[in-house]
Each structure stands twice: as C-alpha cells, then as structure tokens.
Amino acid sequence: MRVVLVCSDPSDCLRSPLAARPASLGDGLLRLLRDGGHEAELVTLPSWGDGAPGSAVDDGRLADAAASADVLHVLDVAASPAALRVRRRTGTPTVVRAQVSGSEHIAERDRAAWLACLRAADTVMVPTRHDERAARALGVPAERIATVLVAAAGEVGGVGGFAARSPERVVSVLSGPHAWGGTVDVVAAVSRVPDVELVVAGRSAAPEAAERLATVADACGAADRVTITGWLDEQQTVELVDRSAVVVAPRRGPTTGAVSLRAMGRARPVVAYESPVQAEIVVDGETGVLVPMGSRSRLTEVLAGLLADPFRAEALGQAGQDRVVARFGTERTLAGVLSAYENAVERRPRTAFIPSARTRAATASSRCGPEPDAHASKSSTSVGVVGTDWHASTKPASSSPGSSA
C-alpha cells in the first residue's frame, strides 16, 4: 500500500513535546508503515495566516503525490481543507485524524470548516472510544470511524527492556513550560515534598515561558530543586526518564498521551491529569495514577506517596510497560492503522477523474464545503449531513436518444 501523510508545518499537535523532532507523529507513522513493508511519504503544507494552509501551488504539489497513492492520511486539523480539496480532484481515499474531545479549543471561525471536513472524510481516525462517541454526536457515521491511538507510533518505539538504571529522587515533566497551568501545579506540589528534584523538559511555546516558570519555582521556595532543560534529543530523553522515580503528564488541555506512553514504555510510573486519552492509556492505580484536573493537593499526595514507596512505584512501572507492549505495540498499532486505510479504500473506490473548470475553481477555495450544484442536470448526487455527501458516487446522467456524445 502507498500512503501519503499530510500535515501543516510542524505544529503543537505534531511535534514531540519530548525532543526536537519535527512532526514526530508523521515521522513515527512513516517508520511504522515502511517497517511494515508499505510505501509512505510525508508532505507538509505551509500554514497561512488564517489557519487554513494551502494555495494553488500547495494543492498541486499535494495532488501530484496523492495521484499515485492508495490513501491520503491527514494528520492535523489545519491541513484537512487542502487535503480534501485534493481528494475531490484525484479521488484518493482520505483518512482524517481528529481528537474530537476537547475540540472546543478550535477557533469559532475554523469550527464549521473542521466539522465539514470530519463529515466529508472517508474515514475519521480518533484516539479513544470517548472521541468515537463525540464524533458520532457531531454527525460522523459510525461506519466511518476508526479508533486507533496513533501517538503510539511515535512514542512506543523505545520499548525494549526495563530502564537501564535505578531511579533517583527525581520527578520529571516531559511536556515543557508551554503546558503552563499543569507544570505550575507540579512545581507547587514538588515544593511541598522534601528532598526531591524536579526536571522540566521539552519545548516552550514562548521564549519567556521558562523564565516565568523559574519565577514560580522561586516564589514556591523550590528554585534550587527545579531544573528547566528545554529541548532534549532522543538519548537525553531516555536517560531522563530512566533516572526519574515518577514521570508527570500534567497537561490541562487536549493531549495525545505521548508522555504517558513514553514513561510506561520505559517501566516508569506515570502520574497524569484525568482526560479521555489518559484514561485510555493509564489504568488508574494499576499502571499509574490519574489525578483530578488541577488538584494540587491530590497531586502532592500522590507524588509524596510514590516517592516514599519505591516498591509500589516499581510495580506500577512494570505493569505500565506490560500494558504498552500488549495494547500499543508496533504490530497492534500498524494493524489498526491499516484497517482504517482499508475502510477508506472500500468506501471510496478509485475512479478516473478529469477536473472540470467548475471543479478547478472550487479547489481555489481555502475551506471545505459542499460540492457546487451547478450542472445539476448532468449529474446526480445523494445529499448527506452537510450539503452534498462527498462519499456518494457522482454518476453522469444517462444520455437521451437525441443528445450528442
């Protein structure tokens, strides 16, 4: 199978929070597919000011790649409109990755286009059963939804035996200062636990984020016990996780679960704020601990308890690694991804397609939208939940006996 992965310029939802690896989700899927014997290519589209990447040049570049592909896999919301315009030109079956829960963060001006893209895709790939229910509530038919935690493709690659060293009294946060509210909560919690070091690793959304976090640490009386590292390479990330007694995933907004997957893959206990994705990955009390969102008192209690009971921490870590290998390992993730692709191909068989002047004009639009209804007398389509159902086949009307060929 030949797959074209498409995303906007490496952005928050694609870059790894753990290390300086652009588009780590795309990179992980590339490796997963290629190692599985499939052809794969990653195309990035520059992001424009209005949040809708793409231009006539970008559409043409993507169309060239998609024309020979079996599947077009869209990895982020911003790239969806351009990818679906290209889908209309080439007929390539299209899978859209979407984290539907927490979608309230999408700007109102982009939300209508995003919903149209979800409903137009041949298959919508969501990370959790909670997202699956949310997608159905938004009008996506159940048969078009595939539940696959694709973040595992980028973060479980390091699984392979237990951590190479014994843990120290170190708590690590692998999502960086940009996860502002949650990281501040961890600083406040650690300041109440004696003799423990906190290491905050990862990228910052703004240059001043690290300085602001250092100011918070100083105000909490823990400045000498908080280290902010910034970017880490792959080996440095593994070394930090291995020396950590506990890894914390405190992100308050939508999350891919990458931090939890990485920690569990290295047999380290993870403490995470509750969310649908984290609940799918972490079994509370068995492979880690889930804490109510924003509860600093509970976070402090959990961290103090795990640091005081290394045997329990080790048991959680080992159980977490077993779960990652069993539920999110390479073979299982690849099987889920391929199943989603096959579903898209079955729903939209490839046909020869020559764009008309009307279609070429439509591709200049920067938004998803229903097919124009011009020339309605020459084609027949079925109507779906948003305008014209792009999944329906469009068939030329039968010529009358007196019509010209």
Side-chain angles (χ1 to χ4, degrees):
M1 179 175 286
R2 173 170 168 72
V3 181
V4 171
L5 307 170
V6 57
C7 65
S8 63
D9 266 348
S11 59
D12 284 351
C13 65
L14 294 178
R15 285 179 125 177
S16 170
L18 312 183
R21 294 173 299 168
S24 74
L25 176 58
D27 292 341
L29 279 171
L30 276 177
R31 183 174 62 249
L32 184 76
L33 291 166
R34 289 173 177 174
D35 289 350
H38 303 276
E39 293 184 58
E41 175 185 357
L42 176 63
V43 177
T44 58
L45 302 178
S47 198
W48 294 81
D50 65 353
S55 64
V57 174
D58 296 324
D59 282 8
R61 183 163 58 92
L62 181 56
D64 289 342
S68 60
D70 297 301
V71 171
L72 189 63
H73 187 173
V74 188
L75 299 180
D76 65 339
V77 171
S80 298
L84 287 167
R85 289 196 301 271
V86 167
R87 166 184 175 275
R88 292 164 64 186
R89 293 172 59 183
T90 64
T92 307
T94 300
V95 176
V96 172
R97 168 188 171 267
Q99 187 167 328
V100 185
S101 60
S103 60
E104 60 275 3
H105 73 285
I106 298 176
E108 188 64 31
R109 65 178 182 178
D110 297 327
R111 187 169 178 81
W114 177 72
L115 289 173
C117 289
L118 286 187
R119 293 162 178 165
D122 298 295
T123 297
V124 176
M125 186 181 291
V126 297
T128 70
R129 289 184 294 272
H130 181 86
D131 289 278
E132 181 181 341
R133 292 190 294 271
R136 290 202 305 268
L138 291 175
V140 181
E143 63 271 16
R144 295 181 192 168
I145 302 173
T147 304
V148 185
L149 188 65
V150 292
E155 300 301 341
V156 181
V159 174
F162 293 109
R165 59 188 294 176
S166 299
E168 304 170 18
R169 284 186 65 82
V170 173
V171 172
S172 59
V173 173
L174 302 177
S175 53
H178 77 288
W180 177 249
T183 306
V184 170
D185 293 341
V186 181
V187 170
V190 166
S191 70
R192 301 186 181 103
V193 182
D195 303 322
V196 62
E197 177 188 355
L198 172 64
V199 179
V200 179
R203 57 190 165 78
S204 300
E208 66 275 10
E211 295 180 8
R212 292 172 62 196
L213 191 62
T215 300
V216 171
D218 185 58
C220 291
D224 59 336
R225 296 191 284 129
V226 175
T227 302
I228 303 169
T229 68
W231 290 108
L232 298 179
D233 62 28
E234 178 68 16
Q235 186 57 40
Q236 290 172 325
T237 301
V238 170
E239 290 175 356
L240 174 58
V241 172
D242 285 0
R243 67 183 283 247
S244 299
V246 182
V247 176
V248 185
R251 191 176 181 93
R252 289 187 174 187
T255 176
T256 64
V259 172
S260 297
L261 288 166
R262 175 58 65 98
M264 292 164 65
R266 299 301 298 177
R268 288 296 182 248
V270 61
V271 176
Y273 273 156
E274 292 176 343
S275 74
V277 171
Q278 295 293 9
E280 195 88 2
I281 298 170
V282 180
V283 179
D284 189 25
E286 295 183 18
T287 65
V289 181
L290 297 178
V291 175
M293 192 77 69
S295 177
R296 294 186 182 181
S297 59
R298 176 59 179 158
L299 185 60
T300 303
E301 178 186 345
V302 169
L303 291 178
L306 290 176
L307 290 166
D309 189 351
F311 293 105
R312 178 170 182 254
E314 182 180 0
L316 292 175
Q318 292 181 359
Q321 188 181 61
D322 291 343
R323 179 171 173 79
V324 162
V325 172
R327 292 288 302 275
F328 309 111
T330 299
E331 292 184 3
R332 183 159 182 165
T333 302
L334 178 60
V337 169
L338 292 178
S339 177
Y341 292 167
E342 291 165 1
N343 180 61
V345 171
E346 290 173 1
R347 291 196 53 77
R348 188 178 179 85
R350 293 293 294 275
T351 57
F353 184 79
I354 301 175
S356 64
R358 172 178 62 86
T359 304
R360 284 196 296 270
T363 61
S365 168
S366 64
R367 299 291 186 193
C368 293
E371 295 277 8
D373 59 1
H375 308 294
S377 62
K378 295 184 180 181
S379 64
S380 59
T381 58
S382 62
V383 177
V385 290
V386 177
T388 300
D389 185 354
W390 294 349
H391 300 278
S393 59
T394 302
K395 301 178 181 178
S398 300
S399 300
S400 63
S403 64
S404 59

